[in-house]
Amino acid sequence: MANEPELNFEEAMAALEDIVGQLEHGDVPLEQAIDLFQRGMKLSQLCGQKLEQVERKIEMIVEEDGELRKKPFGTADDESGEVHE
């Protein structure tokens, strides 16, 4: 993936799905399968990093809104799932 333009999340997921499809088809030569696997792992890491960035942005939005308490992404005050003041 060196010298490739950085992919956005959707482009990375589409490329990853393509790689999985090729590997699942089963008629890929071993050397190519290893290359595809390595590229798939890098794409998977890229997608994970982009999701973490989104989580941090969502937390920052909550912190900037003076009416809401600072809460980590994905938590709620009670079982209703609502974030209370």
Side-chain angles (χ1 to χ4, degrees):
M1 286 186 17
N3 299 329
E4 285 186 33
E6 182 164 339
L7 302 175
N8 65 34
F9 180 80
E10 289 79 12
E11 292 168 335
M13 280 298 296
L16 185 57
E17 288 172 357
D18 182 56
I19 288 171
V20 170
Q22 290 179 54
L23 291 174
E24 284 181 343
H25 197 258
D27 60 352
V28 179
L30 180 61
E31 293 295 324
Q32 185 180 355
I34 292 170
D35 290 342
L36 287 170
F37 178 79
Q38 290 175 333
R39 177 160 164 69
M41 291 303 295
K42 289 179 182 176
L43 288 167
S44 175
Q45 288 176 332
L46 176 67
C47 289
Q49 290 170 352
K50 293 202 177 281
L51 288 174
E52 286 178 16
Q53 289 172 355
V54 169
E55 278 185 14
R56 279 188 240 121
K57 284 182 183 176
I58 290 172
E59 184 177 62
M60 288 172 53
I61 290 169
V62 172
E63 289 176 16
E64 290 173 359
D65 186 349
E67 297 179 14
L68 300 175
R69 290 189 287 171
K70 180 180 172 183
K71 298 291 277 184
F73 180 74
T75 63
D77 287 339
D78 58 24
E79 294 180 8
S80 71
E82 296 177 4
V83 177
H84 303 280
E85 292 183 40

